[in-house]
Amino acid sequence: MKKKKLRFRKIRSVWNNVRYLDYYILVPYLALCLVGIVMVYSASASIEMQNGGTPLGYLVKQTIYVVMGVAVIAFMANYPLRHYRTPRFLRDSTLVVGALLVIVLVFSRAVNGAKGWISLGFFNIQPVEICKLYFILYLADRMAKIRQRGQHFTTDAKGPWLIIAVFLGLIMIQPDIGGMAINGAIIAIMLLAADYKWGVGLEIILVLPALGYLGLERLVESGLLQGGGYQVARFVAFLNPFGNASGSGNQLVNSYYAISNGGVFGVGLGNSIQKMGYLPEPNTDFIMSITSEELGLVGVTAILVTLLFLICRIIQVGVRADSLYQTLICYGSATFFTIETLFNIGGVLGLLPITGVTFPFISYGGSSMLILSATVGIIMNISMQQNRDRLVMGKPFIPETGGVKNV
């Protein structure tokens, strides 16, 4: 009887939380997911039929992932944030993520030159995706607590820095350059938001990648990296795609053709030419090329504006938070979405080397969808808490007193 009452109270509590939903987060999320379902179906149906499969295969899978994502948001939005800060959760999540990163290196097989997926038969786990959310939650807690003690994360957090170095090293070994860069950007922005000097931080974010790029460019031009594997081939294709159009530059050249065909208004939904075997995996890495061809500049702009609105709302929630912990979660999440978008768009436009990074909420993928949804759910949780405090307790969004936020 007591269990039934407790279960009823939980259900009623979740139902009562509906009034505090942040529709500025929920509506863009749902809109992007629905567009993703349509575009995954459009990009994959023809090539699946050519390969003897069903045109509805990826449509069904992506729809299931979106439904699961909505369920994840509902759970994360109602799960108390304090549980993410318990020593047991932080310890167990560190062990689980570390184990997954090791397992993927030891037991998985290489796909396109990288070991990034753990196959369970019905579902593939991509540990680097889980690592993004892990870093957001783990570092937000560590940075906030260290700041509360009046210390500095850069000099007084030896344990977290060791974990960062080991995890990024394991990602690099896969190798997953895109995943490592996104995780690195999340760490850098959260560090800047916590207590680091902006001048030095900007040097790390801007100068080091520029030096790395210039160094790789010189090595490629000198011929020292010829035959250096799949990752090097992608960089060579980025530098001279049309010079390698029949080889490593084929993907980027066909991406250019798709974007050019689309023009301003596109050739119409389902009418893409480049998805007919010219662009490999058109429903994942290059889904925005197909989207550009079918929906044109107008369609792509609408998607980008919707995603930008969601990111800006996340930043706004972080600014309004009265705790450093919540602020860091929001800034880390906004960085996650922003950098992933820039890497995908930059890759299909030839502005950045192709790194295999998916477009948030639009590209096909279970691990990506579930982690993105979990991240949105946590932000929704923070926003709902702000709305509840304001409407029920009369507490303002922005603290009246100045100084450092509570942790």
Side-chain angles (χ1 to χ4, degrees):
M1 191 67 179
K2 290 182 178 180
K3 290 183 178 179
K4 288 184 178 179
K5 288 184 178 180
L6 182 60
R7 190 180 300 113
F8 177 75
R9 287 177 182 175
K10 289 182 178 179
I11 294 174
R12 187 172 61 181
S13 176
V14 171
W15 178 253
N16 289 336
N17 285 339
V18 172
R19 75 181 74 175
Y20 306 120
L21 281 175
D22 188 338
Y23 292 99
Y24 293 112
I25 293 176
L26 184 61
V27 172
Y29 165 81
L30 292 176
L32 289 169
C33 288
L34 291 175
V35 171
I37 291 174
V38 173
M39 291 313 305
V40 165
Y41 172 59
S42 178
S44 62
S46 298
I47 196 69
E48 278 294 287
M49 287 191 293
Q50 292 178 20
N51 295 332
T54 170
L56 300 178
Y58 283 104
L59 170 65
V60 172
K61 290 180 182 179
Q62 187 70 3
T63 302
I64 292 174
Y65 294 150
V66 170
V67 172
M68 291 172 63
V70 173
V72 167
I73 281 187
F75 174 80
M76 302 298 272
N78 291 279
Y79 190 74
L81 279 176
R82 63 179 182 275
H83 292 323
Y84 299 121
R85 306 191 70 177
T86 61
R88 180 177 180 179
F89 175 83
L90 295 174
R91 181 190 67 242
D92 291 349
S93 61
T94 301
L95 293 175
V96 169
V97 174
L100 290 175
L101 289 173
V102 172
I103 290 171
V104 78
L105 286 174
V106 176
F107 297 104
S108 68
R109 64 183 183 88
V111 178
N112 292 335
K115 292 184 174 184
W117 294 265
I118 300 174
S119 177
L120 301 178
F122 62 94
F123 187 77
N124 292 330
I125 298 176
Q126 196 170 5
V128 71
E129 294 294 329
I130 302 174
C131 197
K132 296 169 187 175
L133 181 56
Y134 163 77
F135 272 138
I136 291 172
L137 294 176
Y138 175 76
L139 293 179
D141 177 76
R142 297 292 92 186
M143 289 179 178
K145 287 180 177 176
I146 288 174
R147 181 69 180 275
Q148 187 180 33
R149 296 196 298 265
Q151 297 175 326
H152 296 279
F153 187 83
T154 51
T155 56
D156 301 308
K158 296 181 177 59
W161 277 117
L162 177 61
I163 292 173
I164 289 172
V166 171
F167 284 12
L168 290 184
L170 290 172
I171 294 172
M172 185 68 180
I173 294 172
Q174 291 182 10
D176 188 342
I177 306 301
M180 190 191 71
I182 294 171
N183 278 288
I186 291 171
I187 295 167
I189 294 300
M190 291 180 69
L191 186 60
L192 291 176
D195 66 345
Y196 206 55
K197 294 181 180 179
W198 276 93
V200 179
L202 288 176
E203 289 178 6
I204 295 174
I205 294 173
L206 299 177
V207 176
L208 290 182
L211 292 175
Y213 166 78
L214 292 174
L216 282 172
E217 185 179 22
R218 295 294 179 269
L219 289 173
V220 169
E221 290 177 350
S222 66
L224 295 176
L225 291 182
Q226 293 299 324
Y230 191 78
Q231 302 296 329
V232 174
R234 282 183 166 185
F235 193 80
V236 172
F238 161 69
L239 293 177
N240 186 13
F242 287 96
N244 299 273
S246 59
S248 60
N250 179 263
Q251 290 179 319
L252 186 53
V253 169
N254 282 297
S255 177
Y256 287 154
Y257 290 154
I259 295 170
S260 175
N261 290 341
V264 177
F265 299 104
V267 297
L269 189 63
N271 295 326
S272 167
I273 297 173
Q274 296 304 311
K275 69 182 180 183
M276 303 293 186
Y278 297 101
L279 267 173
E281 303 295 337
N283 55 334
T284 55
D285 300 359
F286 287 91
I287 195 165
M288 291 309 291
S289 299
I290 304 302
T291 302
S292 178
E293 185 176 12
E294 295 188 350
L295 304 183
L297 177 64
V298 173
V300 172
T301 301
I303 292 173
L304 291 175
V305 169
T306 304
L307 186 55
L308 177 62
F309 183 89
L310 175 62
I311 292 170
C312 289
R313 180 60 177 177
I314 292 173
I315 295 173
Q316 185 182 40
V317 172
V319 171
R320 288 175 170 176
D322 59 0
S323 109
L324 181 59
Y325 173 70
Q326 295 180 6
T327 296
L328 291 174
I329 288 178
C330 292
Y331 290 174
S333 301
T335 303
F336 173 15
F337 296 169
T338 301
I339 301 300
E340 192 154 296
T341 301
L342 292 177
F343 268 57
N344 182 274
I345 292 295
V348 301
L349 291 177
L351 302 176
L352 293 170
I354 298 169
T355 55
V357 173
T358 57
F359 192 93
F361 308 108
I362 304 296
S363 295
Y364 169 80
S367 292
S368 175
M369 177 59 68
L370 294 181
I371 293 301
L372 288 166
S373 298
T375 306
V376 172
I378 293 173
I379 302 301
M380 180 72 76
N381 192 319
I382 296 172
S383 181
M384 287 169 61
Q385 182 176 314
Q386 292 177 357
N387 293 341
R388 188 184 303 111
D389 290 344
R390 182 184 66 169
L391 297 176
V392 176
M393 300 173 60
K395 184 178 178 181
F397 274 136
I398 303 176
E400 296 178 357
T401 57
V404 179
K405 292 183 178 181
N406 299 324
V407 295

